[in-house]
Amino acid sequence: QVQLVESGGGLVQAGGSLRLSCAASGRTFRTMGWFRQAPGKEREFVAALGWAYGSTYYVDSVQGRFTISRDYAKNTVYLQMNSLKPEDTAVYYCAAGFGGTTMTRDDYVYWGQGTQVTVSS
């Protein structure tokens, strides 16, 4: 059974940092990514990572502040979030798929339960 389990969300002041983790079990994937959904908004792409070569892709709004990375041995992907802003407040979802490193939501097959990130001003 495939599971994606996220952790690491919380409340932080603007300018602070958080690291999200997503542990995958049941199989390995070609691509893993992070999406987020703020209240009243669509779920949007944040970052993606190609598992084999570590290629990465970010939405412009987080480029230079967020870093996606992986740990092969733990089958885990991370999202290091620095210089957080109030507009980063959202539920963050881990996702996994078998296509290329993509920002397209429909390309991801498995999803985690989400973890809340709240950035206060």
Side-chain angles (χ1 to χ4, degrees):
Q1 182 178 359
V2 174
Q3 278 192 311
L4 302 178
V5 180
E6 299 122 332
S7 60
L11 172 64
V12 64
Q13 288 188 332
S17 298
L18 283 173
R19 189 177 80 154
L20 306 183
S21 300
C22 173
S25 61
R27 67 170 301 160
T28 57
F29 302 94
R30 186 176 177 186
T31 301
M32 293 189 74
W34 289 95
F35 288 73
R36 66 187 179 186
Q37 187 166 17
K41 295 188 176 182
E42 294 286 321
R43 190 173 299 188
E44 65 169 356
F45 169 79
V46 175
L49 179 143
W51 198 256
Y53 299 105
S55 55
T56 58
Y57 184 49
Y58 300 92
V59 68
D60 287 347
S61 60
V62 308
Q63 184 76 45
R65 300 189 298 123
F66 291 11
T67 303
I68 188 170
S69 62
R70 71 201 191 287
D71 184 320
Y72 275 123
K74 296 180 179 180
N75 210 26
T76 297
V77 66
Y78 303 98
L79 186 68
Q80 177 67 43
M81 305 185 294
N82 298 329
S83 302
L84 281 161
K85 304 175 181 180
E87 51 264 44
D88 294 318
T89 295
V91 177
Y92 283 70
Y93 296 91
C94 176
F98 307 102
T101 309
T102 173
M103 65 181 290
T104 304
R105 184 174 157 183
D106 289 345
D107 289 341
Y108 292 86
V109 178
Y110 296 99
W111 294 83
Q113 81 284 358
T115 185
Q116 177 70 46
V117 171
T118 303
V119 184
S120 63
S121 57

